[in-house]
């Protein structure tokens, strides 16, 4: 009689990759999450693969940051090398890359900046270069998270023109300006150095605007649309699901993860049951795909439960 069921095939596991070798650096605000150098990332990928998680999304921590974030499209940077290595070692693993400049800019914003203004159109060109460098490395899907207007169309055109028509776009279509990204910004070193992201991320008070963004992104060529964060926005996931026939992804973000981890570490919550309930609620709301830092644990728990039947 159960209407919805979680499955390991629903998950995308986020991975942070950095330069150097032999590195596995803990992210203090996200217990269980690390920044990996490419060599160690392959060990992590082996575990992800063994657990049956079909996909990962990569975030990069570059060697150097600059005003224009130009290392975002450097073919020798960590993300590009990681994609290549993952596809060489685990060809069946779906490799998604986050396309954004905030990890690569010295000011921490997702686009080029003049004064305190984010320059939308000038940023598009750099996002296209970044997406192309990921495609060239072998990415299956690129996931623009910058929230500049028109970026899905620009990236789709750039990919098609360069012969990467098989590379899909998982669009962060509905990305709210949220306080739940705090721990991620520690993990990726991407906190904005001035102001905030409210000029390009969405107002948490809006839902019709979310649907507008979704329809625009689909029109521009998005293959999958995402709602982010997930837990405070289950109503938005449901509304998006009812608005489109495109697959819908939910991003169970860093702050949502850290809250559960902190409470569980204090013995205040039953981690397993809380996480499985949360993930199931995202599915019930309409998510076809769940990006979650809990993916490895959830995969283990689902396997244990399956074994008991
Ligand atoms: C980059 C990006 C962010 C997240 C994913 N891509 C941070 C932000 O927009 O500040 C957040 C993910 C998370 O919190 O888990 N723009």
């Amino acid at each position: 009689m159960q209407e919805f069921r979680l499955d390991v095939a629903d998950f995308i596991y986020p991975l942070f990759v950095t330069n150097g070798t032999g590195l596995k650096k803990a992210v203090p605000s996200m217990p269980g999450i690390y920044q990996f150098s490419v060599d160690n990332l392959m060990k992590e990928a082996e575990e992800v693969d063994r657990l049956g998680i079909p996909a990962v999304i990569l975030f990069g921590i570059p060697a150097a940051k600059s005003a224009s974030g130009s290392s975002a499209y450097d073919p020798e940077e960590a993300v590009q090398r990681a994609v290549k290595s993952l596809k060489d070692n685990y060809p069946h693993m779906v490799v998604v890359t986050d396309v954004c400049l905030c990890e690569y800019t010295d000011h921490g914003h997702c686009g080029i900046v003049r004064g305190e203004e984010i320059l939308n159109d000038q940023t598009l060109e750099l996002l296209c270069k970044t997406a192309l460098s990921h495609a060239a490395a072998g990415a299956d899907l690129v996931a623009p998270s910058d929230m500049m207007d028109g970026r899905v169309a620009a990236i789709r055109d750039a990919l098609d023109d360069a012969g990467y028509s098989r590379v899909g776009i998982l669009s962060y279509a509905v990305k709210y300006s949220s306080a739940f990204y705090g721990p991620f910004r520690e993990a990726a070193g991407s906190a904005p150095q001035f102001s905030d992201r409210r000029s390009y991320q969405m107002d948490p008070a809006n839902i019709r605007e979310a649907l507008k963004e979704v329809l625009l992104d689909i029109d521009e060529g998005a293959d999958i649309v995402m709602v982010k964060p997930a837990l405070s926005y289950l109503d938005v996931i449901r509304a998006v699901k009812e608005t489109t026939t495109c697959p819908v992804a939910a991003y169970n973000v860093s702050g949502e993860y850290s809250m559960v981890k902190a409470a569980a570490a204090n013995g205040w919550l039953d981690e397993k049951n809380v996480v499985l309930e949360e993930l199931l609620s995202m599915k019930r709301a309409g998510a076809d795909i769940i990006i979650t830092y809990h993916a490895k644990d959830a995969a283990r728990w689902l396997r244990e439960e399956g074994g008991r039947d």
Side-chain angles (χ1 to χ4, degrees):
M1 305 301 274
Q2 199 179 332
E3 295 174 36
F4 292 92
R5 216 173 276 273
L6 271 179
D7 190 295
V8 64
D10 303 331
F11 301 145
I12 300 182
Y13 188 55
L15 291 168
F16 296 97
V17 55
T18 187
N19 292 284
T21 51
L23 298 176
K24 182 178 177 184
K25 193 168 163 242
V27 178
S29 58
M30 301 178 72
I33 300 297
Y34 302 86
Q35 296 176 346
F36 295 99
S37 52
V38 175
D39 52 342
N40 279 342
L41 191 79
M42 292 311 117
K43 295 179 200 156
E44 182 74 357
E46 198 210 321
E47 194 186 349
V48 170
D49 190 47
R50 200 163 9 91
L51 288 166
I53 299 167
V56 295
I57 180 165
L58 296 181
F59 298 92
I61 297 105
K65 296 179 189 251
S66 65
S68 65
S70 55
S71 44
Y73 45 88
D74 180 344
E76 292 307 313
E77 257 299 337
V79 163
Q80 286 80 355
R81 285 186 292 111
V83 170
K84 186 164 185 324
S85 223
L86 283 169
K87 292 306 294 186
D88 285 348
N89 290 289
Y90 305 96
H92 53 279
M93 188 178 280
V94 177
V95 176
V96 187
T97 55
D98 184 82
V99 174
C100 194
L101 299 181
C102 68
E103 294 112 270
Y104 299 89
T105 52
D106 49 16
H107 45 72
H109 276 287
C110 303
I112 300 183
V113 161
R114 188 174 52 210
E116 297 226 335
E117 192 192 341
I118 316 297
L119 303 179
N120 191 92
D121 294 2
Q122 287 87 328
T123 301
L124 295 183
E125 202 182 310
L126 302 183
L127 294 170
C128 288
K129 281 190 179 177
T130 305
L132 282 176
S133 74
H134 295 171
D140 297 296
L141 288 148
V142 292
S145 69
D146 52 281
M147 294 303 279
M148 300 300 131
D149 290 333
R151 84 251 205 246
V152 174
I155 291 173
R156 184 70 272 158
D157 280 352
L159 289 172
D160 289 349
D161 287 349
Y164 298 116
S165 51
R166 60 156 192 88
V167 175
I169 299 181
L170 190 174
S171 170
Y172 285 69
V174 186
K175 180 173 176 183
Y176 285 98
S177 180
S178 168
F180 285 99
Y181 308 148
F184 172 93
R185 292 178 187 171
E186 180 176 288
S190 67
Q193 298 304 302
F194 64 87
S195 187
D196 53 39
R197 301 206 205 289
R198 273 189 292 184
S199 71
Y200 44 102
Q201 298 184 350
M202 283 191 37
D203 183 343
N206 290 358
I207 187 163
R208 284 187 303 167
E209 186 190 6
L211 302 181
K212 181 179 158 207
E213 293 280 356
V214 161
L215 294 174
L216 275 172
D217 279 12
I218 292 172
D219 200 42
E220 290 182 26
D223 299 287
I224 304 170
V225 286
M226 186 206 294
V227 175
K228 173 186 172 189
L231 280 176
S232 299
Y233 299 88
L234 295 175
D235 56 330
V236 182
I237 296 174
R238 163 64 33 205
V240 169
K241 183 65 172 229
E242 284 169 2
T243 301
T244 169
T245 52
C246 245
V248 177
Y251 197 142
N252 178 210
V253 300
S254 58
E256 299 172 336
Y257 174 83
S258 300
M259 288 195 302
V260 176
K261 285 299 215 187
N266 277 294
W268 297 336
L269 280 180
D270 172 344
E271 182 175 354
K272 171 182 164 181
N273 284 317
V274 165
V275 168
L276 292 177
E277 185 177 333
E278 286 184 346
L279 298 174
L280 185 62
S281 73
M282 293 167 208
K283 201 117 188 238
R284 193 191 61 240
D288 301 290
I289 295 165
I290 302 173
I291 303 178
T292 178
Y293 304 96
H294 296 293
K296 288 196 319 180
D297 289 332
R300 276 187 213 103
W301 295 325
L302 290 172
R303 188 170 286 186
E304 281 163 26
E305 300 210 327
R308 237 185 274 136
D309 284 347

